[in-house]
Amino acid sequence: MTTIAEKVNLLGLTREQLIEFFASIGEKKFRADQVMKWIHHFGVDQFSDMTNVSKALQEKLAACAEIRGPEIVSEDISSDGTRKWVVRVASGSCVETVYIPQGTRGTLCVSSQAGCALDCSFCSTGKQGFNSDLTSAEIIGQVWIASKSFNSIPATVDRAITNVVMMGMGEPLLNFENVVNAMTVMLDDFGYGISKRKVTLSTAGVAPMIDKLGERIDVALALSLHAPNDELRNKLVPINKKYPLNVVLDACKRYMAGLGEKRYLTIEYTLLKDVNDLPEHAEQLIELLRDVPCKVNLIPFNPFPHSGYERPSNNAIRRFQDALHHAGYSVTVRMPRGEDIDAACGQLVGQVQDRTRRSERYIAVRQVNG
């Protein structure tokens, strides 16, 4: 009994991988450049639309390959211009992608997993449990879908997407190969040609993989810190029990030092009322980061049902920001965007077919607590 070979999805392949693919079917390496430009510069998903590719090769490709992004389930546009796509991935779960316009900058927040294995206590994504890693095609497919929706050709100067942040659903470093391959396509001139300073990977602190990342790529790095000491961070970000602050910050410093140029680590700090937003927390954070070249991004908590946390007052946010400013840190406060379509930081939930049963337990606790 013969089986039909599964078609290779070219969408998620880096240029090197495309060169290997074309070599495997007896074609020259320049075909990789041609096809990659058609896919990512022009959003083409049919080989028959590639006008500088011969009819014979079009037919050959159609027989053994495909260009397939995730299925678009919905697209919502916020009153502030933020857009959110819900896309279905191969596992059957749905993940979310968010586009945030701000002046001449357009930032796309991309997901790397269906759900998240880390269960940070203040993040609604973590409460959905975990289903699967996304493939590289499903990760870069989010950029592909968003670019096509804007009719945005990456080769132009005024493209809609200027920045990409791996800050959507999931912990990117726990899906390492697929995330690195997708980011490689983002940086490639035949992909999206985005500057390495404008592609950011955000991690909760998987220390060994931060070192591995430095061996493979030199994108910007953000650390989801959220607490200035190990005792509090153990509660908010459970992976801290495995990789405590000194271990994670040392890995981040090694990564930044390996870039060979003046670059800053971004510290992400979600402010939770009366939990991590007090003056003593600011003082502890100042001391913790004293020898870390960084800038701090404060994120007022975006509420979701039964989280148990509240957003701090504007005065508390300003007080925390001022303390860091006076200590010499560059500090910004990330204003909520897309709240009316549940697209703000920490609000991405998708539709996760949870393999961990965490969402089931969380719902049970909510029902008990009212």
Side-chain angles (χ1 to χ4, degrees):
M1 180 178 176
T2 59
T3 57
I4 299 174
E6 185 176 344
K7 291 185 177 183
V8 177
N9 189 356
L10 304 188
L11 179 62
L13 300 188
T14 66
R15 195 177 346 170
E16 287 302 315
Q17 290 170 333
L18 275 172
I19 289 170
E20 291 175 8
F21 166 76
F22 278 102
S24 74
I25 63 171
E27 296 291 336
K28 301 289 187 182
K29 63 185 294 184
F30 77 90
R31 295 298 189 187
D33 297 351
Q34 282 183 317
V35 170
M36 192 172 187
K37 288 179 72 174
W38 278 113
I39 294 172
H40 300 292
H41 284 206
F42 300 104
V44 164
D45 59 5
Q46 299 296 321
F47 298 114
S48 57
D49 292 334
M50 299 179 179
T51 55
N52 61 349
V53 174
S54 69
K55 181 78 169 176
L57 180 53
Q58 289 176 6
E59 293 174 354
K60 188 177 185 180
L61 289 171
C64 66
E66 62 181 349
I67 303 162
R68 178 171 46 83
E71 173 196 351
I72 301 173
V73 175
S74 65
E75 178 179 354
D76 295 301
I77 302 178
S78 167
S79 58
D80 64 16
T82 298
R83 295 192 187 196
K84 182 176 77 172
W85 293 265
V86 176
V87 300
R88 181 173 288 110
V89 296
S91 67
S93 290
C94 293
V95 301
E96 301 184 352
T97 309
V98 176
Y99 173 79
I100 305 162
Q102 187 172 18
T104 59
R105 183 173 65 188
T107 299
L108 191 70
C109 183
V110 172
S111 294
S112 58
Q113 296 179 311
C116 185
L118 296 189
D119 195 20
C120 296
S121 67
F122 53 87
C123 179
S124 61
T125 300
K127 302 310 175 191
Q128 307 307 303
F130 174 76
N131 177 263
S132 63
D133 289 334
L134 302 193
T135 66
S136 56
E138 290 167 342
I139 297 169
I140 199 65
Q142 297 168 67
V143 185
W144 186 67
I145 286 169
S147 293
K148 291 206 295 182
S149 79
F150 292 111
N151 195 26
S152 176
I153 298 172
T156 62
V157 175
D158 58 346
R159 60 190 177 210
I161 299 168
T162 61
N163 298 62
V164 174
V165 292
M166 298 299 306
M167 296 182 185
M169 299 173 67
E171 164 54 59
L173 291 183
L174 293 182
N175 186 15
F176 186 83
E177 290 296 333
N178 290 324
V179 166
V180 169
N181 286 340
M183 291 192 303
T184 299
V185 176
M186 295 175 200
L187 301 180
D188 197 304
D189 285 342
F190 290 125
Y192 296 88
I194 302 173
S195 164
K196 61 189 178 183
R197 293 173 175 269
K198 296 183 178 181
V199 174
T200 302
L201 181 143
S202 174
T203 177
V206 189
M209 303 310 290
I210 295 173
D211 286 319
K212 188 175 179 182
L213 185 70
E215 298 169 2
R216 296 282 298 276
I217 202 165
D218 58 349
V219 295
L221 183 66
L223 175 64
S224 292
L225 187 65
H226 311 304
N229 60 68
D230 281 317
E231 182 181 3
L232 180 55
R233 196 167 194 263
N234 286 345
K235 298 174 183 176
L236 299 179
V237 186
I239 197 174
N240 194 73
K241 297 172 187 175
K242 187 172 185 178
Y243 304 116
L245 284 171
N246 64 315
V247 173
V248 171
L249 288 172
D250 282 348
C252 289
K253 286 190 283 187
R254 286 193 297 273
Y255 180 86
M256 302 310 295
L259 298 181
E261 54 186 293
K262 192 68 171 177
R263 304 265 289 276
Y264 292 92
L265 174 69
T266 297
I267 297 293
E268 296 172 307
Y269 194 101
T270 298
L271 289 166
L272 306 165
K273 182 180 179 181
D274 297 330
V275 175
N276 66 353
D277 67 334
L278 303 177
E280 55 262 38
H281 296 130
E283 292 304 316
Q284 291 172 24
L285 186 60
I286 289 165
E287 185 59 33
L288 178 70
L289 300 177
R290 193 165 299 281
D291 63 344
V292 181
C294 64
K295 53 187 178 181
V296 181
N297 193 355
L298 300 177
I299 308 166
F301 176 66
N302 293 305
F304 60 92
H306 308 287
S307 67
Y309 295 113
E310 297 179 39
R311 184 187 189 276
S313 67
N314 289 336
N315 284 340
I317 295 168
R318 192 174 304 112
R319 180 183 62 214
F320 201 97
Q321 180 183 23
D322 288 345
L324 295 175
H325 266 313
H326 291 153
Y329 290 92
S330 172
V331 188
T332 57
V333 176
R334 186 183 298 173
M335 301 309 297
R337 299 292 301 272
E339 288 182 293
D340 55 332
I341 56 171
D342 291 331
C345 289
Q347 289 185 328
L348 302 188
V349 295
Q351 299 164 30
V352 178
Q353 297 180 2
D354 180 23
R355 294 191 333 214
T356 66
R357 300 187 70 182
R358 187 191 310 138
S359 58
E360 180 181 313
R361 294 192 297 271
Y362 178 62
I363 291 169
V365 170
R366 286 191 299 176
Q367 290 172 339
V368 169
N369 295 336

